[in-house]
Amino acid sequence: MTINRRELLGYSAAALGVAAVGLPHIAKAAAGELTIAYNVNLPSWDPTTGPSAVNPTIQGLYQSVFDQFIPQKPDLSFAPGLLTEWGWNDDRTKVTMTVREGVTWHDGSPFTPEDVVWSLQRAGDEKTGNPIQFVWKNVSNFKIDGNKITGDVVQFDPVYFKWMSFLTGYILPKAYYEKVGAEGFEKAPIGTGPYMVEKFERNAFLRLKANPTYWGGKPAFENVTIKFVTDAGSRVAEIESGSSQVTLEIPYEEYDRLIAKDGLAGSCKPVSDIGMIFFNDIEAMLDKNVRQAAVMAVDKELLVKRLLRGYGQPIATLETPEYTAFDASIKVEHNPEKAKELLAASGYSPEKPVKFTIQTTKGFKPKDYEMIQAIVGMWRKVGIEATIEVYEIAKHYELRAADKLAPAAFYNWGNAIGDPTTSTGFAMYGPSPHSVWDSQDLIDMINPLWGEKDEAKRVAGWKAVDKYIAEQAYVLPLMQYAQPIVHAKGVNVVQHVSGALLPALMTPA
């Protein structure tokens, strides 16, 4: 099985603050009210089409309004949701699903198996614009019998059901969507999720109201206001002044300072996101010595200790300990002297450095820009002169999809389902628009793994790919992130390992 760039294309793709400082506002807020200072804007309300659908940072907003086929618990384990049962037959030629009964849409209309089938068919139709269409197309000819659904497997995909908990894996209302159309749905979205959209001002805020008939139980907070505060300093001001009761993704030194203040608390636990630097197979990165030197020169332990204040875990591959194909035996040494030797073999030195551009975001993740500054400093000592270019995250998606990233580019990769196909696979498989490394050797290693039915053989295959990538230095994995969340002590916050900040999991203390 092979996947081409066209099939995969599209996967990737308002500072508010006050200066006053005081105790958190939660003590004065009306009962049932919650305000969250969020770190990104919400560009679109369709969670199944366009670049927004595959932006991991906004999935928490989507999951507040819509239900996925199969939800994940905070520890990433799969749980019954709108589908209560799912699976394959013995020879992997059919899928079966059982649909939850007694659920209603936000407009009061009944949720039915037809909604499930329509959502799956729409997702698998290339004309719809679902960026994960190449997964959803693999099952067709759905049939409904009561609350049971069967489908025929067109091409076996071992992670088909895992995708039902991941990007674009949402069920939308067939009758309502067909009635109002795409434009009408954008203006007035409805789902079956724990919250209903009350008001939405693009680039400003989102107002949610608790769904009183939610099948999973009505959320504790009746009204939730989510402010889109893209500047980290302004998010700090929001929580410190009490204008917001919850915020996330702030600098770690600010996290430590804030949680020491009266009235505030927080959590900072590992999530499924990793920090990494893509290498593009252009210019200097075609030289293996340069790539290996660039990897060996970086002291990841020091980056985590100094810049992230110990919040984070250095990694050697694109897999974290929670991922299916994590292999602790794969090591990449930090060895600046060896890096100098490799560069010298290609004619470079600190006095005659190899030169290239590295792209990065600034403020999107805690200390992202400062981390790249530090890495550039480490590179300079061994004979690499890198020029930093700052861009917005949306620009990264655009350039990556077009295979036009610089020779090096920082990114945070989210992989809530922890499968190697959605980490190493998409990030490193040449025909994928999520990858900019196109060498045939890696394509040939990965090709057989897409449809491998033997799970042990599939995972072993991905571990071998990860080891080979580390040996060839085709990418620079940096660390697994810990996500800082600060909140008023009047609010209990349950941290989700996916990184999604979910108001439905929050309760009054």
Side-chain angles (χ1 to χ4, degrees), residues 333-449:
E333 65 175 329
H334 168 236
N335 191 334
E337 292 307 313
K338 180 66 179 296
K340 287 182 181 179
E341 293 174 10
L342 289 166
L343 289 169
S346 291
Y348 303 115
S349 67
E351 295 72 36
K352 184 186 174 184
V354 59
K355 300 179 181 181
F356 56 80
T357 297
I358 181 169
Q359 295 164 320
T360 182
T361 50
K362 187 175 184 178
F364 177 64
K365 295 290 285 186
K367 298 296 182 181
D368 47 5
Y369 179 72
E370 292 83 356
M371 191 182 311
I372 297 306
Q373 283 184 309
I375 289 171
V376 167
M378 294 173 184
W379 283 346
R380 188 179 299 114
K381 293 178 181 179
V382 299
I384 297 172
E385 184 179 316
T387 302
I388 300 175
E389 176 187 318
V390 176
Y391 57 11
E392 295 295 324
I393 191 63
K395 187 65 175 180
H396 171 89
Y397 291 138
E398 176 188 327
L399 293 174
R400 194 174 76 194
D403 198 2
K404 292 183 178 179
L405 286 178
F410 171 81
Y411 182 65
N412 75 292
W413 188 278
N415 183 20
I417 57 176
D419 196 87
T421 63
T422 45
S423 54
T424 300
F426 289 156
M428 301 304 301
Y429 183 66
S432 159
H434 328 309
S435 167
V436 290
W437 192 267
D438 305 315
S439 62
Q440 193 61 44
D441 56 345
L442 201 52
I443 293 172
D444 291 341
M445 281 190 77
I446 292 174
N447 270 338
L449 300 176

